[in-house]
Amino acid sequence: MPLRSAPLLLLSALLLPALASAQRFTVPVDVGVGPAAFAFFGPVFEDQPIHTGLKLSVQAVLDKDWLKKNQRRVPPRYRKYAASLDEVRISPSLLIPDTLIISPKLRDTGMYGATWKPLSLGVPLSSGPARLSLGVGALLTYAYLHSNTLPNTHFVRPGAEVGLDLELQVSKSFLVSLGWESAFYVPQELGGLGLPERLRDGIFHVGQAYLQFHVRFPYTVQL
């Protein structure tokens, strides 16, 4: 069975017994927020290289200590998977945006919008107080661009992203992360929803650099 299936199997094994017996379930929750800078490559970048916003995250974090303390919740046939995992992260809702674009028109161009990440997978490249991970995911972005120099545009596109994230653990409850993500979208023309005549004349690649501050705390729910 592929290793990537283990977190899903483990999650099911943990939650289904709790659902059946209405148990109280306590997990560490990580809430992160911080500034982000966006580069919309193409005409938007030539007009204004950087737009600003916020990077958001809300995740339940099942680390090795938590998995060890709750190993009795895991059926025996799944315990070897739990023992092989350093961490499982679960986002509680698809409605929480991954990023907010908040870039007022300080000169010629402003932009407002949000990106949702309905599907993502992170692969840790290191562990310990400094955790480097490679991430990939599927995206959906809406952004309204209003400008004196470019056509006003409602950018609405699905896409895929790849990125690197470095997470630094300052303490058990406070962490800092910084990273870069490159998002590639179905190309869209400026001023409309169609495809551009030339790739370089539309929006198809958005780079994002971010810095996040994370707070972790235990959260108990009745399932």
Side-chain angles (χ1 to χ4, degrees):
M1 184 173 295
L3 183 59
R4 64 183 180 182
S5 299
L8 297 177
L9 291 171
L10 177 60
L11 180 60
S12 299
L14 289 170
L15 292 184
L16 289 178
L19 285 169
S21 57
Q23 298 176 11
R24 294 178 66 83
F25 204 77
T26 301
V27 297
V29 173
D30 183 299
V31 177
V33 63
F38 304 91
F40 284 72
F41 294 102
V44 179
F45 183 84
E46 295 170 3
D47 174 80
Q48 181 174 317
I50 301 298
H51 288 273
T52 56
L54 293 173
K55 177 78 168 176
L56 309 173
S57 65
V58 178
Q59 295 178 319
V61 181
L62 312 184
D63 59 18
K64 212 169 187 64
D65 290 340
W66 190 94
L67 294 171
K68 184 177 180 180
K69 291 177 182 177
N70 291 271
Q71 61 180 331
R72 291 184 179 181
R73 292 180 181 269
V74 184
R77 61 176 175 168
Y78 293 129
R79 286 177 186 170
K80 66 177 181 179
Y81 295 117
S84 69
L85 296 172
D86 290 326
E87 193 173 80
V88 179
R89 299 191 179 196
I90 306 151
S91 180
S93 175
L94 297 179
L95 299 179
I96 300 173
D98 180 73
T99 54
L100 296 176
I101 303 170
I102 308 170
S103 189
K105 185 192 288 187
L106 300 179
R107 192 179 62 181
D108 294 319
T109 302
M111 190 180 300
Y112 298 93
T115 292
W116 291 266
K117 191 182 293 184
L119 179 64
S120 63
L121 173 66
V123 179
L125 303 178
S126 65
S127 59
R131 181 179 183 271
L132 181 66
S133 61
L134 172 69
V136 295
L139 306 174
L140 176 63
T141 295
Y142 168 77
Y144 176 61
L145 181 149
H146 57 108
S147 176
N148 299 328
T149 53
L150 297 172
N152 293 342
T153 303
H154 292 276
F155 177 71
V156 186
R157 280 296 192 264
E161 63 89 16
V162 60
L164 282 173
D165 179 89
L166 177 62
E167 186 178 81
L168 305 173
Q169 185 173 12
V170 180
S171 69
K172 190 72 174 177
S173 59
F174 180 70
L175 303 91
V176 178
S177 65
L178 63 157
W180 171 268
E181 293 179 351
S182 283
F184 298 91
Y185 295 94
V186 177
Q188 180 175 328
E189 64 183 352
L190 294 180
L193 296 175
L195 296 173
E197 292 185 4
R198 298 182 301 177
L199 190 63
R200 64 185 182 183
D201 293 335
I203 300 174
F204 71 97
H205 177 207
V206 179
Q208 177 191 168
Y210 62 86
L211 171 68
Q212 267 191 306
F213 302 96
H214 301 258
V215 176
R216 289 188 181 177
F217 53 90
Y219 184 72
T220 302
V221 293
Q222 185 79 26
L223 294 176

